[in-house]
């Protein structure tokens, strides 16, 4: 059995590393039919209180088809054998994320294994939770493709309303 390197890291260092891992896995090209990156994440910095990234969904020419928001939570204390990733997210913060009227997701990162898991934040919850499923691992191409199809489908269905809004705002000067 290989010895793991033990290190002490501040909460900020763990969070920063987790955000970097999330961005890396979102940016990673998929194999098969698509053979390209599907997403382009942009970090919003500490100024935005609810989300960490806005992520563009890319067409084959790297043009945006739409976007989604992501909140990233990281942990160093994950149980490798568990089907769930223990993490902490404040109830109010999750509910604000879920109330944003575009696709939103919570990404949980196990910084020791460098595994990244995603769940949709589709509706506010009444009580807090302390873990998320490990079923949707962003290191898996099929999960990234499923996320791509879900968000691209949302914008295909809801995009025309945004085009009207862009036209209205373009004429306001």
């Amino acid at each position: 059995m290989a010895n793991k390197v033990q290190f002490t890291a501040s909460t900020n260092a763990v969070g920063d590393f987790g955000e970097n891992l999330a961005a890396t896995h979102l940016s990673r090209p998929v194999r098969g039919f698509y053979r390209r990156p599907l997403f382009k994440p942009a970090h919003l910095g500490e100024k935005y209180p609810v989300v960490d990234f806005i992520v563009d969904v890319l067409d084959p020419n790297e043009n945006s088809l739409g976007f989604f928001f992501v909140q990233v939570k990281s942990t160093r204390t994950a149980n490798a054998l568990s089907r769930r990733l223990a993490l902490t997210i404040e109830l109010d913060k999750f509910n604000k994320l879920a109330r944003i009227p575009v696709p939103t997701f919570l990404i949980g990162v196990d910084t020791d294994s460098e595994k990244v898991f995603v769940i949709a934040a589709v509706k506010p919850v009444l009580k807090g939770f302390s873990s998320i499923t490990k079923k949707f691992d962003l290191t898996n191409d099929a999960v990234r493709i499923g996320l791509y199809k879900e968000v691209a489908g949302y914008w295909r269905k809801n995009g025309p309303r945004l085009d009207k809004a862009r036209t209205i705002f373009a004429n306001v000067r």
Side-chain angles (χ1 to χ4, degrees):
M1 177 184 281
N3 291 334
K4 273 195 163 185
V5 175
Q6 296 294 321
F7 68 94
T8 303
S10 70
T11 302
N12 286 341
V14 171
D16 290 347
F17 183 54
E19 288 177 357
N20 289 333
L21 286 170
T24 297
H25 288 299
L26 284 166
S27 301
R28 191 177 305 278
V30 294
R31 294 178 290 272
F33 174 77
Y34 293 97
R35 294 190 329 256
R36 62 183 173 85
L38 302 176
F39 307 111
K40 182 180 180 184
H43 194 264
L44 294 173
E46 300 299 320
K47 302 270 184 206
Y48 200 87
V50 178
V51 299
D52 295 312
F53 291 95
I54 183 170
V55 182
D56 281 312
V57 178
L58 303 176
D59 72 7
N61 297 316
E62 296 187 13
N63 296 311
S64 180
L65 297 171
F67 63 92
F68 60 94
F69 289 115
V70 170
Q71 170 64 230
V72 178
K73 291 295 180 178
S74 305
T75 184
R76 286 185 47 230
T77 59
N79 178 344
L81 301 176
S82 175
R83 293 186 313 185
R84 299 190 63 82
L85 179 69
L87 51 79
T88 303
I89 183 167
E90 301 81 24
L91 178 64
D92 184 54
K93 196 169 197 174
F94 179 84
N95 286 340
K96 285 180 181 177
L97 179 68
R99 286 187 185 105
I100 296 173
V102 299
T104 56
F105 296 88
L106 175 63
I107 290 181
V109 181
D110 173 358
T111 59
D112 281 349
S113 71
E114 299 187 8
K115 293 282 192 171
V116 179
F117 308 97
V118 62
I119 63 166
V122 293
K123 63 182 179 179
V125 295
L126 296 176
K127 62 180 190 171
F129 54 92
S130 57
S131 67
I132 64 169
T133 182
K134 290 183 179 178
K135 185 176 180 182
F136 306 106
D137 182 349
L138 282 177
T139 62
N140 181 328
D141 283 357
V143 171
R144 289 197 312 282
I145 291 168
L147 178 60
Y148 175 82
K149 288 179 177 179
E150 180 177 335
V151 178
Y154 172 88
W155 288 111
R156 245 188 322 279
K157 180 179 174 185
N158 294 293
R161 286 184 260 169
L162 288 177
D163 289 340
K164 288 179 187 174
R166 283 189 194 107
T167 302
I168 291 167
F169 289 119
N171 294 324
V172 176
R173 296 197 197 264

